[in-house]
Amino acid sequence: MSATRTCSSDPLNISGWSWQPFLDDAVQALKPLNYKPYPVEDRFLWKQDQSGSKSKPVTVTTATWACQTEKFRQVRAACVSGGDTTSVLNFVINPLSRFDLPFFGGDLVTLPSGHLLALDLQPADKSDADHTKPVWDRLLPIFDLWRSKLPDGGPIPEEAQPFFSPGFLWTRLPLGEEGQQLINTVVRPAFNAYLNLYLELAAAAEPVSNQRRDHLLAGQRRYTDYRAEKDPARGMLTRFYGKEWTEAYIHTVLFDL
Ligand code: DBV
């Protein structure tokens, strides 16, 4: 059924994909906003190829769910599923620069080496207190609650610091029963708590001046350019689908501002 999707905001269901409940939660939370599809070329809505060795081929699927709303320029989920140990939900909400809002960013990654889980409300300009303080004041109590239940994910690159908030929830969990338990009981409610806060901030946001909009847009471009340039999925996607498809996906769908 998913293979016949013709529209980015049609229901997306990848059989056996471990992050399906997270995407379902997010789509459900967005429903009251009466979202419209966001234009995505057919070749990025649903992509399937064989990967792995000749004797042990694995089917790898990458699908995109996307929409837009009155205040969100682009909401998009990049969904990757390949066998038992490759599963990704990368979910980003890009607000219109007309609204003083951060980005919502979620990176939920399962690889043979384990789970890597990142959640944040990421600033367009970390040095701008008018932009950050109203978000951080409400995010930090939520962050503290969930962080206490998860191991720390370890250091992230210095150059990435400007793009993260102090509420960056970042953990690595082992594969298997124990890790899955924490995903169900901690990571999923944390994802929904971050998303609900984000949607509350967005609901309250009022349009800003043209000058303020231009300032926010410049910050959004720095963030988007950084994410496109450093996309940690580049290697994996290139292995699966080749360079041409991957670069076009990164630059015209995932980080298209
Ligand atoms: N990351 C993306 C997109 C992905 C994706 C669009 C389509 O931005 C997946 C998929 N992230 C992905 C994969 C890996 C990571 C790692 C496959 C593993 C790479 C590998 O080990 O080969 C958070 N994601 C990471 C890392 C960080 C983040 C810090 C580890 C750094 C590294 O290994 O290079 N990504 C980063 C982040 C957000 C984000 C903070 C937003 C909350 O989306």
Side-chain angles (χ1 to χ4, degrees), residues 76 78 80 88 90 105-107 109 111 116 118-120 122 156 164 168 170 227 231-233 236-237 254-255:
R76 100 293 183 278
V80 183
V88 177
N90 183 267
D107 203 17
V109 179
L111 296 171
L116 287 157
L119 280 177
D120 201 4
Q122 302 188 308
I156 53 159
F164 292 97
F168 178 45
W170 165 236
R227 293 283 309 263
D231 190 346
M236 177 185 78
L237 293 174
L254 295 179
F255 304 107

Side-chain angles (χ1 to χ4, degrees), residues 102-103 105 107 118-127 132 136 139 155-170 223 226-227 232:
F103 299 90
D107 203 17
L119 280 177
D120 201 4
L121 304 190
Q122 302 188 308
D125 181 356
K126 199 170 182 171
S127 67
T132 57
W136 297 357
L139 179 60
I156 53 159
E158 183 68 32
E159 56 172 16
Q161 293 297 342
F163 305 107
F164 292 97
S165 87
F168 178 45
L169 191 66
W170 165 236
Y223 173 90
Y226 179 82
R227 293 283 309 263

